[in-house]
Amino acid sequence: MILILEADLAEQSPVFQQLLTRLKAMSDIQYRIHQEQGVEQLLSEIYLIGNTKSLRVEDMEALPGVKQAIRVSKEYRMLGRYSGDHRSQGFDYNGVHFGQDNLNVFAGLCAVDTPEHVEQMMKALQENGQVCTRMGAYKPRTSPYAFQGHGQACLPYVFELAGKYGMRVIAMEILHESHMDEIREALEKTGHPTGVMLQIGTRNTQNFELLKAVGRQTEFPVLLKRGFGITLEESLNAAEYLASEGNTKVVFGLRGMKTNLGDPHRNFVDFAQVPTVKRLTRMPVCIDPSHSVGSRDAGPDGIPDVFHATAEGVVAGANMVLVDFHPDPATALVDGPQALLLKELPWFLEDVRLARETYEERVLLAAAQGVAE
Ligand code: PEP
Ligand code: MN
């Protein structure tokens, strides 16, 4: 059960303390406090575990400081969506909003290779009104002999260039908790010119110790990719690991599923599940068309498959698009074949805008039928 408390209730306040006294008196119930300082107010929630079946919602709502009590299912306790749950979803980070109602595009390099390419990429993004990007410094590679990313060494110039070109959030995969410290340190040394969204890749979706470590910090939001060969439920539980440790600023990323059916795409595109994840949880949902499709191939209509897959996800309500671009894909050290060209960026963004507009019109159409929430 979740108890949602009145806004701006400090833990030291008499009302909060009275509530805790009452909870401590319940012998087979344990609790965990979660507080989040929003832009306007301090939000507090208390998660009750143990024999909560015996508790009545009305009784809990009568406790001091409690605004609402919500009975939750065992799964996705913190990130799940429940009936009667009117908590606002989403979060703000470094001036960018992440929610189930908006859309952010993160176009950028799969892997940082040279400062020149980072600069060309960011310049193009700024010229096209973008404030978010992706920049891989730590790369999980199938072969131990393949380029593993420049790691810590590239962080200072990546962050400085991000500041120069107005990038507010960089999605950056980490493979180990020490990478978080390296990112924090480099941000400090460069004077925090930008923000970082820590990405947990599909190979690490069930790396529980990494999830716990990333969940214990709340400075950086997290993009958790779906595991390529596990159920959706297992991946959503992985996201819950982050939240249960304290970090609820989590975006869930669909990136295609591994199949061995001789598919034309690198992975089987799973973007039909965007609305499913939004229905089951309160997380914003990201799509990664590049790692799903894996090539720059185009249909007979002249539209690249990556554009088509993006449109599928956006038209279904995706909230974030993570997409590979490169100034010179032929020399890219990782995933060149799927990187879009910089000259294609304005086209891609316009295509995304059209798909988003269609989604918004579809929401209005649904509302007119009286079927929306
Ligand atoms: C990536 O986004 O660079 C990446 C490696 O993605 P995934 O974990 O989905 O393969
Ligand atoms: Mn890649």
Side-chain angles (χ1 to χ4, degrees), residues 110-111 134 139 266 291 324 334-335 338:
C110 174
R134 58 159 295 149
K139 299 305 300 177
R266 182 173 173 179
H291 289 83
D324 290 4
V334 185
D335 287 347
Q338 71 194 24

Side-chain angles (χ1 to χ4, degrees), residues 32-319:
R32 189 195 287 224
I33 301 168
H34 181 82
Q35 288 192 305
E36 196 96 44
Q37 181 62 58
V39 187
E40 279 165 19
Q41 50 191 13
L42 173 70
L43 300 169
S44 309
E45 294 172 358
I46 298 189
Y47 295 83
L48 303 182
I49 27 194
N51 185 20
T52 54
K53 273 206 192 85
S54 62
L55 304 175
R56 286 175 5 125
V57 167
E58 308 80 76
D59 293 344
M60 301 315 284
E61 286 182 341
L63 290 174
V66 176
K67 194 168 93 184
Q68 195 189 3
I70 303 172
R71 200 177 284 292
V72 300
S73 61
K74 259 212 172 83
E75 272 143 13
Y76 331 138
R77 227 169 261 189
M78 296 186 69
L79 295 173
R81 176 185 281 284
Y82 303 104
S83 67
D85 181 354
H86 299 300
R87 287 173 295 171
S88 62
Q89 34 78 19
F91 57 89
D92 290 285
Y93 174 63
N94 210 30
V96 180
H97 181 70
F98 295 87
Q100 285 195 336
D101 294 329
N102 73 335
L103 174 66
N104 296 298
V105 176
F106 281 63
L109 305 181
C110 174
V112 171
D113 44 20
T114 67
E116 292 71 30
H117 287 154
V118 172
E119 179 147 24
Q120 283 167 28
M121 184 71 236
M122 290 187 182
K123 188 165 178 288
L125 288 167
Q126 188 183 49
E127 283 166 2
N128 284 280
Q130 299 301 298
V131 295
C132 298
T133 185
R134 58 159 295 149
M135 290 282 149
Y138 308 93
K139 299 305 300 177
R141 304 305 304 281
T142 305
S143 163
Y145 309 114
F147 172 64
Q148 307 283 310
H150 288 309
Q152 189 176 19
C154 70
L155 300 180
Y157 69 77
V158 169
F159 295 160
E160 273 159 11
L161 288 167
K164 178 172 172 191
Y165 291 102
M167 294 296 116
R168 304 210 61 88
V169 187
I170 303 176
M172 183 175 274
E173 179 166 356
I174 59 162
L175 308 176
H176 189 269
E177 59 177 292
S178 60
H179 298 160
M180 247 181 332
D181 301 328
E182 293 176 4
I183 289 172
R184 193 177 288 116
E185 198 181 302
L187 279 174
E188 235 144 71
K189 279 206 180 122
T190 51
H192 289 273
T194 188
V196 172
M197 175 177 277
L198 302 175
Q199 186 177 321
I200 296 184
T202 196
R203 293 158 188 81
N204 275 315
T205 308
Q206 286 189 313
N207 181 341
F208 299 116
E209 294 308 315
L210 179 63
L211 293 172
K212 285 189 216 165
V214 172
R216 278 195 292 273
Q217 62 78 41
T218 51
E219 179 183 354
F220 303 113
V222 189
L223 166 63
L224 175 76
K225 295 274 198 93
R226 172 194 199 149
F228 55 68
I230 56 176
T231 65
L232 181 65
E233 190 183 331
E234 286 162 337
S235 292
L236 295 177
N237 269 299
E240 188 71 17
Y241 261 91
L242 296 161
S244 71
E245 292 291 330
N247 194 343
T248 53
K249 293 180 197 153
V250 185
V251 177
F252 188 80
L254 295 173
R255 48 81 69 207
M257 303 294 294
K258 231 185 211 329
T259 62
N260 282 303
L261 303 174
D263 302 320
H265 293 154
R266 182 173 173 179
N267 287 291
F268 200 81
V269 181
D270 54 353
F271 299 167
Q273 293 173 18
V274 166
T276 316
V277 178
K278 289 172 76 173
R279 181 173 66 244
L280 293 173
T281 77
R282 294 179 298 133
M283 287 185 278
V285 180
C286 174
I287 52 165
D288 178 342
S290 303
H291 289 83
S292 301
V293 169
S295 79
R296 254 194 316 278
D297 292 345
D301 52 14
I303 303 174
D305 289 10
V306 170
F307 282 48
H308 275 301
T310 305
E312 281 174 26
V314 172
V315 103
N319 307 111

